[in-house]
Amino acid sequence: MSYTVKTDIFEGPFDLLLHLVARQKVDIAELSICDIADQYLAYVDTMRELDLDVASDFLLVAATLLELKAASLLPQESMPELEEFEDMPAEEARELLVARLLAYKQFKTTAAELAARFEATSRMHSRAAGLEDRYLRLMPDYLEGVTLRGLAVICADLVYRREVFLLEAEHIAAAPISLEAHVEGVARTLRNRGRAMLSELVMADASKEELVVTFLAILELYKRGLVGLKQDVLFGDIEVASIEKEDR
Amino acid sequence: MSDRTEELRGPLEALLFVSDEPVNAARLAKILDADPVEVDKALRELSDEYADEERGFQLREVAGGWRMYTHPAHHPYIEQFVLSWDTRRLSQAALEALAVIAYHQPVSRGGVNAVRGVNSEAVIASLVEKGLIRETGRDKNAGNAILYATTRAFLEKFGLKDLAELPPLEEFAPDPDTERAIRERLNALDGPTLADEDVEDDEDDDKCEDSIDDVE
Amino acid sequence: MSDRTEELRGPLEALLFVSDEPVNAARLAKILDADPVEVDKALRELSDEYADEERGFQLREVAGGWRMYTHPAHHPYIEQFVLSWDTRRLSQAALEALAVIAYHQPVSRGGVNAVRGVNSEAVIASLVEKGLIRETGRDKNAGNAILYATTRAFLEKFGLKDLAELPPLEEFAPDPDTERAIRERLNALDGPTLADEDVEDDEDDDKCEDSIDDVE
């Protein structure tokens, strides 16, 4: 299956943590949250170079591990606040992490079972030959109400949307503006301020290219689930708000 | 076969042959103007007959109905003949998300994220597009987050009669050794011994709602 | 049946069951790596067997080869069954795929995906089942991807003599060059880089993702 070839890519922070936890079969007594945390961070570090977006998914668990590590070194110290594990004593945070990991492990196993079922079922083929001609006219009219013109409009619309999209993208590519840099820039601003209007995110003297890239950056952040968008009136200013990552 | 089920065989085969989805016995009985119990019996006999005679096709009960499929033994020939390498596989990420949805349905994206520990938006969209899951409502208690459930196509593609046929989730719980190992390894060396506290149920982790709805 | 033709029965039934057109004995023999004479014999025996046992389907030799058909004795039931089929209309996704296929045929799944910006596997399968499109060949230059085209039923539904009668897309597009540009792009996209092996990574088939690649 496809995932077996990407050996060093993990499907999420729990997947990586599970891998690290399971990898060391020996010396259980020697292992500690410190080792795990260090290994985890080392991995996230290499990942960060490869793909910042992927790495960001892993940071909450990294932060939790760090908290646990700190707690194990300095049990009396109070811990910095963490989003999901906020105000939670280290022990509880650990317990939650263990519970999450166990639940994830359970579903990973379940997924493997489902994959096996899917694989087995996909070796049995239903008949997709369609009806014999004599029955075709009896079939319900799945295209009821659809006109030829309607079909053409749908196709033209798709094609046009796609075309504009590509043209815009090509246009931007010509300018030395990195979308990823803008994504980072917008994300940084939002991290500091929580929310901002689109008009505030683009400089007053921004070129059309910069405007477009900033807008694309906002769409990209929206797609990644990092920001929410709100526009009160048509053609009005757009509010971009950072989303607390409580659902990670 | 009894006389009656013998009579039903031909018409049943013809209907099943042309059907593009699983059909239940009641519907077949109605079309054949026959007793549903007889039809059900005839279907089971037919299914056994195909199996006994090692025919190229089989009759299976899936997704709430009966449908003919080729026998898996002949898959390599069929692949060569029509399907080529057009086999439809699912990524690990998609399978994980699907597993969570299958067992916790109806469940929000936040619920799936919580179990997987990672944003599952893209995989959920791809599962919807593949027709394996669908939107089934909104969670009023969680910012109107969209709830997802599996479809009939899911049952069919996974060879399940109904959702009750899903193997119990408990079967997949990590064994005590794994659990102990995970606990120990995430434990501080000198930390307090962990009591066997209740493992938190992830279904209830729905504080993580649809992130976009939060803002609006 | 002789031992050998007995052995061939299962695989032959499986192949004929899924085939949507007559297949000749030579082709079947090649796929099964069997003696064409034996295959021909097995086909005749199978055909007789269906007839003797009054099965719901029959195996007939028609122009171009062998094909399974429903038995005429059961036609009234089948007609009633087909008439009872769910009249749900096509989803927006299915209409989009159909529109793209109508205008760009023959086109691969990858080509439809490229225009729609999302994976179209499930809708294409449903359009085939509904008899609106069909497989029409393979794209040798794109990993043997299956090519799709509309069916005669599609033409009849819209009262078209042939595809040339489809209203020109240009009438509906703001830019007359668009269609040509897209065709060129589709051809480019259909190339080996977008071979169908990649379909399992559907999460990546996303419009936005494409855009990032394009920009960088």
Side-chain angles (χ1 to χ4, degrees):
Chain A
M1 308 219 26
S2 63
Y3 58 88
T4 52
V5 292
K6 34 179 190 175
T7 41
D8 268 4
I9 293 175
F10 296 93
E11 293 299 341
F14 295 151
D15 203 19
L16 170 59
L17 192 50
L18 206 55
H19 171 77
L20 292 176
V21 165
R23 202 172 55 169
Q24 300 167 39
K25 300 268 180 230
V26 286
D27 287 342
I28 287 178
E30 295 299 311
L31 265 171
S32 71
I33 185 67
C34 299
D35 298 320
I36 299 281
D38 290 344
Q39 288 176 23
Y40 187 92
L41 288 174
Y43 190 86
V44 171
D45 226 33
T46 62
M47 213 185 314
R48 188 193 285 271
E49 283 170 25
L50 296 173
D51 187 346
L52 201 79
D53 320 319
V54 174
S56 69
D57 276 332
F58 291 70
L59 289 182
L60 177 62
V61 168
T64 308
L65 287 172
L66 271 184
E67 184 192 13
L68 297 177
K69 177 177 172 176
S72 74
L73 297 172
L74 301 163
Q76 261 70 44
E77 216 49 33
S78 75
M79 289 306 122
E81 288 189 350
L82 285 161
E83 295 164 80
E84 184 173 4
F85 296 78
E86 200 175 353
D87 293 335
M88 201 180 272
E91 197 183 326
E92 247 177 78
R94 174 170 55 232
E95 203 45 42
L96 182 56
L97 196 56
V98 168
R100 287 283 180 91
L101 209 47
L102 288 172
Y104 173 72
K105 165 90 177 148
Q106 184 171 22
F107 276 100
K108 201 175 144 124
T109 315
T110 311
E113 164 72 16
L114 283 182
R117 285 200 82 103
F118 188 76
E119 195 75 12
T121 308
S122 69
R123 304 177 77 81
M124 308 171 202
H125 306 281
S126 58
R127 205 165 157 267
L131 283 177
E132 289 163 35
D133 285 347
R134 72 167 77 223
Y135 302 118
L136 277 177
R137 65 186 164 82
L138 300 174
M139 275 232 277
D141 185 1
Y142 297 107
L143 290 168
E144 195 184 346
V146 178
T147 61
L148 206 49
R149 212 183 146 77
L151 214 56
V153 168
I154 288 171
C155 190
D157 190 43
L158 282 169
V159 164
Y160 176 61
R161 274 210 316 255
R162 175 80 183 163
E163 183 67 3
V164 167
F165 204 79
L166 292 170
L167 285 176
E168 276 181 2
E170 276 164 11
H171 188 42
I172 296 158
I177 297 175
S178 153
L179 175 59
E180 195 52 43
H182 268 72
V183 169
E184 272 314 294
V186 173
R188 206 177 314 113
T189 308
L190 290 171
R191 261 199 301 278
N192 295 335
R193 301 175 44 176
R195 57 189 60 221
M197 305 306 287
L198 175 61
S199 56
E200 299 170 301
L201 288 168
V202 288
M203 304 295 146
D205 58 348
S207 68
K208 199 184 278 178
E209 283 83 354
E210 282 171 321
L211 184 67
V212 170
V213 176
T214 304
F215 189 68
L216 281 178
I218 291 167
L219 290 181
E220 178 60 22
L221 285 166
Y222 179 81
K223 183 197 152 223
R224 293 178 195 167
L226 298 175
V227 303
L229 301 175
K230 195 173 158 191
Q231 187 179 32
D232 284 331
V233 291
L234 194 63
F235 302 119
D237 207 352
I238 298 169
E239 184 184 271
V240 188
S242 176
I243 286 174
E244 298 297 315
K245 285 203 266 167
E246 57 187 311
D247 58 346
R248 302 243 162 162
Chain B
M1 279 198 163
S2 72
D3 282 359
R4 181 57 184 144
T5 53
E6 182 82 37
E7 265 173 44
L8 288 169
R9 191 179 70 170
L12 279 178
E13 278 187 327
L15 292 175
L16 293 164
F17 185 77
V18 297
S19 180
D20 63 353
E21 58 179 16
V23 211
N24 66 42
R27 189 157 166 222
L28 291 165
K30 199 174 160 212
I31 289 160
L32 300 176
D33 195 16
D35 177 358
V37 178
E38 293 276 3
V39 168
D40 192 74
K41 193 161 157 253
L43 287 165
R44 281 168 212 289
E45 285 177 6
L46 198 53
S47 175
D48 291 344
E49 187 189 330
Y50 288 164
D52 289 347
E53 294 183 7
E54 297 181 3
R55 304 221 76 109
F57 35 76
Q58 46 175 339
L59 182 55
R60 301 172 62 221
E61 196 178 4
V62 288
W66 294 83
R67 190 168 188 188
M68 286 178 79
Y69 295 89
T70 57
H71 192 286
H74 311 306
H75 169 70
Y77 297 127
I78 293 172
E79 203 174 27
Q80 207 183 323
F81 179 48
V82 268
L83 295 170
S84 185
W85 41 81
D86 191 21
T87 47
R88 288 137 200 209
R89 284 178 171 162
L90 295 171
S91 68
Q92 172 69 9
L95 280 164
E96 284 181 14
L98 190 58
V100 176
I101 294 167
Y103 281 93
H104 286 329
Q105 58 187 300
V107 64
S108 69
R109 206 162 68 195
V112 180
N113 291 349
V115 175
R116 295 193 57 229
V118 68
N119 191 322
S120 305
E121 185 182 334
V123 278
I124 287 181
S126 108
L127 288 171
V128 169
E129 185 71 25
K130 282 176 187 299
L132 294 172
I133 62 169
R134 64 188 167 84
E135 296 184 8
T136 187
R138 298 276 177 164
D139 188 347
K140 294 267 186 303
N141 301 319
N144 256 3
I146 299 168
L147 293 170
Y148 295 93
T150 53
T151 60
R152 226 169 83 144
F154 163 80
L155 293 176
E156 209 188 330
K157 295 222 164 130
F158 287 81
L160 298 164
K161 256 191 267 196
D162 49 42
L163 286 174
E165 262 206 354
L166 278 172
L169 197 54
E170 295 77 47
E171 280 180 19
F172 305 109
D175 59 39
D177 284 349
T178 309
E179 181 170 342
R180 192 167 36 77
I182 289 175
R183 279 183 189 281
E184 275 166 4
R185 283 162 200 202
L186 287 185
N187 211 343
L189 265 182
D190 304 317
T193 327
L194 290 169
D196 241 23
E197 292 168 60
D198 288 349
V199 170
E200 176 153 323
D201 198 344
D202 278 280
E203 279 159 298
D204 301 326
D205 268 353
D206 260 351
K207 58 187 165 196
C208 346
E209 317 144 351
D210 192 307
S211 41
I212 286 133
D213 290 341
D214 280 349
V215 175
E216 283 164 359
Chain C
M1 280 199 163
S2 73
D3 283 358
R4 181 58 184 144
T5 53
E6 183 82 36
E7 266 172 45
L8 288 169
R9 188 178 73 168
L12 279 176
E13 278 188 326
L15 290 171
L16 292 163
F17 179 77
V18 295
S19 177
D20 61 352
E21 56 186 12
V23 210
N24 65 41
R27 174 139 185 245
L28 290 165
K30 197 170 164 220
I31 292 163
L32 300 177
D33 194 17
D35 177 359
V37 178
E38 293 276 4
V39 169
D40 193 74
K41 191 160 160 253
L43 286 164
R44 281 168 211 292
E45 285 177 8
L46 200 52
S47 176
D48 291 345
E49 188 187 331
Y50 289 163
D52 289 347
E53 294 183 6
E54 298 182 358
R55 306 221 73 113
F57 33 77
Q58 40 179 228
L59 181 57
R60 300 210 309 248
E61 194 176 10
V62 293
W66 294 82
R67 183 174 177 182
M68 284 176 81
Y69 294 89
T70 50
H71 194 287
H74 312 305
H75 284 179
Y77 293 128
I78 298 173
E79 285 189 5
Q80 209 183 321
F81 182 50
V82 174
L83 284 170
S84 78
W85 282 8
D86 194 348
T87 53
R88 246 179 327 189
R89 288 168 48 199
L90 292 182
S91 65
Q92 181 64 24
L95 274 178
E96 286 184 12
L98 182 62
V100 173
I101 292 168
Y103 277 94
H104 294 314
Q105 59 188 294
V107 63
S108 70
R109 209 162 66 192
V112 180
N113 290 349
V115 177
R116 290 193 59 226
V118 288
N119 183 278
S120 306
E121 184 182 323
V123 283
I124 287 181
S126 94
L127 290 170
V128 171
E129 277 178 358
K130 292 181 167 58
L132 296 169
I133 62 168
R134 63 187 171 84
E135 296 182 9
T136 188
R138 299 280 177 158
D139 188 346
K140 293 269 186 300
N141 300 322
N144 254 5
I146 299 169
L147 293 170
Y148 295 92
T150 52
T151 59
R152 215 174 60 193
F154 170 85
L155 290 179
E156 278 167 12
K157 152 72 197 168
F158 290 109
L160 296 171
K161 258 204 315 264
D162 52 45
L163 290 170
E165 281 195 349
L166 278 171
L169 208 51
E170 290 78 16
E171 281 178 22
F172 304 93
D175 174 3
D177 288 334
T178 300
E179 224 262 324
R180 189 176 37 78
I182 283 301
R183 271 188 193 282
E184 278 162 16
R185 231 173 263 281
L186 275 172
N187 289 337
L189 284 170
D190 270 347
T193 47
L194 207 113
D196 263 9
E197 295 96 297
D198 292 338
V199 284
E200 56 263 55
D201 286 326
D202 293 315
E203 297 90 76
D204 300 329
D205 267 352
D206 195 322
K207 208 180 238 177
C208 292
E209 219 108 294
D210 291 347
S211 73
I212 306 302
D213 293 340
D214 289 339
V215 171
E216 280 170 349

